[in-house]
Structure formats: C-alpha cells, structure tokens
Amino acid sequence: MNLMDRKCHQKKRQTEYLFLDIEWNQTPGTTDAKNRAPVQIGIVSADKNLQERNTFSKTIRLSDPALLNKETVRVAHMNKSQIMQAQTEDIVFDRVRQTFPAYKYVVVWTEETYELFKRGMKTYGLTMPKHQAVILQDVLMYAASGKKRQIGFEKALKLAKIAYAPGNLHYSKHDAKYLYMLFKQCYEAYFQMAGKETCVANTMSGKLHTQRCRYAKAADQGNFLTMPKTKLFQGYTVCKLCSGGGEWNYLDWDSKKIPAKQPTKDGKKVKKSTKVNMRSLPLTEDNIRRICSELGLSCSVGQDVIFIKTVFSRWAVYIRNGKVQKLHHENYRAYRSEYLKKQKKYAEGYHEQKLPSDNFYDVAFYIKCHDESFIKKMGQKSRIEQLFDMIQ
C-alpha cells in the first residue's frame, strides 16, 4: 500500500463517534447536578461506518473521601479504596482529550451524562472539537416508541435483543460497549426502514419537522433544508408540534413483547402483576425500576432518594423505611413562555412538592399524570410562544 492509499485508508478510519458512559457519585444529602462527580468513565470510539476503533476505561478519584455515597460503592462495582486510589479527574479527562482528539458525535444514554462530561472538560480547560451530542434515550423515544414513553437502558437492550450480562450494568466499561451496540443496531435498522424518507430540518435550531408541519411550511427557507429522517440519530431533535403523530416511529418497540419467566407457585402459574399488587411490592431497586418502567418513567436509584425523569422535567423522591417522605420537583427553566413566567419558578435546583401519598407507586403515577397534564397545557399556548420555545 503506497502513501496515498494509506492516507486515504486512515481518513476513512477516522473517529466519527464517541459512545460515552459515566458513573457518578452524588454527595449524600444532595440532589443537584453540581454535587455530582464522576467515578468511572467508559468510551468506545467508532468510525463513520460504525466500526469499532478504540476503547477507553478509567476509574476516577473523588476529591474528598467524605463525599462518597454508599450507593455509589454498591452500584458502581467498586469499593472506597479503589475509588480513592484512582487517578484524579483532571488527569483522566486530559487522557480522554489525548486519546480522542477529534470526533463528530458524542453518543450518551442520558443528558446528565453528557453535561457531566462537558463540565469536566471545561473545568480543566480542555478543548473539545466541534461536535453534536446524541441523547440516545430521547432518540428512541421517537424512533421506537412514537413519543409514548421513555425506555430504560436495560429494557432497550432487551427489545433490541442485545446480549448483555446483568451484573455488568452500571459499570462504565461495559455500559459504553452496550451503548455502542444498541446505537449501531438501532441506527442500521432505522436507516433500512426510513433511509429514503425525508423531513425538513432547521439548521439553526437543530429541529426536525415533518413535511406538512406548519412551522416548516411557514418558515424562512434560508435556514430550512430537506434531510433524511435518519438525522434523528445525529444530534437533531424532533419538533414538539409534529412529534406525536408516530411518523418517526419506525422501530415500533411498543408492539414487541419481552419474554419473561412465568412465575409459579406449587407448580401452578401465577397471574401477572396488576396495578393493585404493584402498589404492595417491596421497595427493592428492581421493583423501583419495574414500577418506573411500567409507567414510562426513567429513574436513577440513589441512597434514600430516587431520581425520576419524564419527557418534561426531573423529580427527586425521598424514601425512608419503604415509604415516601418527601417529593421535590425540578424548577422550571426560564424559557420565554408567558405561561412559565406566571409560574415564577426559575431558580436552579428543586422545590418541594405536596406529597400525594407515602406509597411509591402512587407518587410515581402522580408524577406521570402531572407532567402529561403540563405538556397538554403547553400545547395550548399561542403560536408566538411555541415559536419562542423552538428558538430555545
């Protein structure tokens, strides 16, 4: 192979994607993002053809051992000694910069992971190439569920028939690999089904619209281009107005069923769980995730607190002795919506919400209904207000 051929081959093999997972420690007694610190990072890189190129995995030392949360030790497959003897955050993030100097897309499962990564790079003055963030959980909400619900990571692996070891979940080295496999399989399936379908993309706002969306028809065509619907997997997001019609849902995971072991008692089949017996489930981590999955909620289980994320906002549910003690709701972001201005809830962090029940299932169901109701109210805003939200 001559020099020109080698350069051409190398160019084809350049890193296009980073598949990133971070396990973090939440300082005990806190819920906000500023009190989170990474303790593990895992990365898989791939070229433009989604062929794996490189892997990266490191444990990260906490700045102060007193900040270590017991739940971190349990979930992240590490003990205190392993965490405190690891390399410091600045060294690890600099290694990331050196190992992956160029890329176009950073693929993560949740927005929190990306924000933590971006914050770490910025804190230590480490430059990042121009890139797009792809929040795969949000992508699959449209591509696989028709905006009906968010899908948990483990359930997404099952629905996509990705082979995984349950004991390796919440371990960044493995989660990054599973994330890569999940993205590759879903993107290739989506491309096969929707590769010839087009939409209208606003290159300024990063929004995708269906061809008949009124915003796309009425907009200044200077910022609007016709693009394939597969741009959904490359950092573009779907317009709120035309996202609920199922026109992006080509994978249609809602029609698929995950095979489950049929529970038995004395050799006889036991009936499936109903809403009533879900209320009486012991509040183990598996049951918490089961309840949230049933209600279409995304959750992260911490020490005496459960973080819940809906399409609209985030919640913190505080648990003691199997019962809900407090409920906190994320303060609304300061969009230029007159409706939200009237709410007077702009500050960072959370505010306490009136507790509907001390039963976790009841509280989770309340969260689901609360945010679905709010989204409907948002849909009744004036056209000017919706345009302001699109700009955001």
Side-chain angles (χ1 to χ4, degrees):
M1 185 183 292
N2 59 37
L3 180 61
M4 184 174 293
D5 289 338
R6 283 200 299 270
K7 285 183 177 180
C8 189
H9 179 72
Q10 185 178 11
K11 187 175 181 180
K12 289 180 180 179
R13 293 281 294 163
Q14 283 180 344
T15 296
E16 187 99 349
Y17 297 90
L18 293 188
F19 297 91
L20 168 73
D21 181 78
I22 292 176
E23 293 295 327
W24 68 72
N25 176 77
Q26 182 79 47
T27 301
T30 68
T31 59
D32 55 338
K34 70 180 180 181
N35 283 297
R36 294 171 187 165
V39 292
Q40 278 185 4
I41 184 169
I43 299 175
V44 173
S45 68
D47 61 21
K48 67 179 182 180
N49 296 319
L50 288 173
Q51 297 302 306
E52 183 179 329
R53 293 203 60 206
N54 197 4
T55 60
F56 180 94
S57 177
K58 293 289 181 184
T59 302
I60 304 173
R61 186 194 310 170
L62 279 179
S63 60
D64 182 353
L67 302 178
L68 183 61
N69 194 319
K70 291 180 181 179
E71 189 67 17
T72 302
V73 174
R74 187 181 70 81
V75 172
H77 308 276
M78 298 182 299
N79 58 41
K80 183 176 181 178
S81 176
Q82 289 173 311
I83 294 174
M84 298 314 302
Q85 291 178 13
Q87 293 177 324
T88 57
E89 189 176 327
D90 58 329
I91 291 176
V92 173
F93 275 92
D94 189 48
R95 290 277 179 87
V96 172
R97 180 190 61 83
Q98 294 179 45
T99 307
F100 308 103
Y103 45 84
K104 287 187 177 181
Y105 305 101
V106 176
V107 182
V108 293
W109 181 246
T110 64
E111 186 179 358
E112 289 90 342
T113 300
Y114 177 70
E115 291 299 327
L116 199 57
F117 175 62
K118 189 169 66 171
R119 186 186 77 185
M121 298 295 281
K122 183 178 180 180
T123 298
Y124 303 109
L126 304 172
T127 57
M128 300 171 71
K130 186 177 179 180
H131 66 278
Q132 290 279 0
V134 181
I135 315 300
L136 187 55
Q137 186 179 51
D138 292 346
V139 170
L140 293 179
M141 184 174 64
Y142 298 106
S145 186
K147 202 189 171 184
K148 294 177 183 176
R149 61 191 172 93
Q150 283 191 319
I151 302 168
F153 187 56
E154 186 173 8
K155 189 168 186 177
L157 294 176
K158 290 178 180 178
L159 286 165
K161 297 182 179 179
I162 302 292
Y164 71 97
N168 288 338
L169 293 176
H170 304 295
Y171 188 2
S172 289
K173 174 182 178 180
H174 300 290
D175 281 357
K177 179 72 171 181
Y178 296 146
L179 182 69
Y180 159 66
M181 296 164 67
L182 180 64
F183 180 92
K184 182 178 181 181
Q185 182 161 312
C186 292
Y187 178 72
E188 289 176 348
Y190 200 84
F191 184 86
Q192 186 175 7
M193 290 183 280
K196 295 181 180 179
E197 299 291 330
T198 60
C199 59
V200 179
N202 184 332
T203 56
M204 182 173 291
S205 68
K207 297 287 185 183
L208 298 177
H209 306 264
T210 58
Q211 297 286 355
R212 60 175 177 272
C213 175
R214 71 169 185 263
Y215 290 128
K217 289 180 178 179
D220 175 10
Q221 295 303 308
N223 296 327
F224 282 68
L225 297 174
T226 298
M227 291 186 178
K229 283 188 174 180
T230 51
K231 281 291 180 182
L232 177 60
F233 282 79
Q234 295 179 329
Y236 281 79
T237 58
V238 178
C239 158
K240 292 180 181 178
L241 184 65
C242 58
S243 61
E247 295 193 41
W248 307 90
N249 182 15
Y250 287 84
L251 301 180
D252 192 21
W253 281 359
D254 286 326
S255 65
K256 298 180 181 179
K257 293 184 178 180
I258 300 174
K261 292 181 180 179
Q262 180 66 48
T264 61
K265 185 177 181 180
D266 299 329
K268 297 180 180 180
K269 290 185 178 180
V270 178
K271 290 183 179 179
K272 275 189 171 182
S273 297
T274 65
K275 179 176 178 179
V276 176
N277 63 28
M278 286 195 76
R279 292 186 74 256
S280 61
L281 287 173
L283 217 55
T284 63
E285 182 175 343
D286 286 343
N287 286 338
I288 289 169
R289 296 186 185 282
R290 177 183 174 186
I291 289 169
C292 289
S293 176
E294 179 76 16
L295 296 173
L297 304 172
S298 174
C299 72
S300 176
V301 182
Q303 184 179 21
D304 299 326
V305 61
I306 301 160
F307 301 101
I308 291 180
K309 180 181 177 183
T310 71
V311 178
F312 182 73
S313 64
R314 296 173 177 83
W315 300 72
V317 184
Y318 292 87
I319 304 291
R320 183 182 297 170
N321 298 325
K323 294 185 178 181
V324 180
Q325 299 295 313
K326 289 189 297 183
L327 177 63
H328 283 190
H329 184 209
E330 180 188 40
N331 294 329
Y332 298 117
R333 298 176 183 177
Y335 292 129
R336 283 183 280 184
S337 161
E338 292 299 323
Y339 183 87
L340 292 185
K341 286 179 182 178
K342 293 176 183 177
Q343 304 303 306
K344 298 181 180 178
K345 295 174 182 175
Y346 297 152
E348 293 292 330
Y350 291 72
H351 61 273
E352 189 164 357
Q353 194 87 355
K354 185 177 179 181
L355 197 61
S357 168
D358 63 1
N359 181 278
F360 177 72
Y361 180 88
D362 293 342
V363 172
F365 187 75
Y366 166 78
I367 289 171
K368 171 185 172 67
C369 296
H370 178 283
D371 281 13
E372 285 180 351
S373 174
F374 202 96
I375 290 171
K376 288 180 181 178
K377 290 178 183 178
M378 291 283 287
Q380 296 170 2
K381 295 185 301 179
S382 70
R383 184 183 175 197
I384 294 297
E385 288 176 303
Q386 291 186 33
L387 286 171
F388 274 140
D389 282 348
M390 288 176 63
I391 293 171
Q392 294 289 338

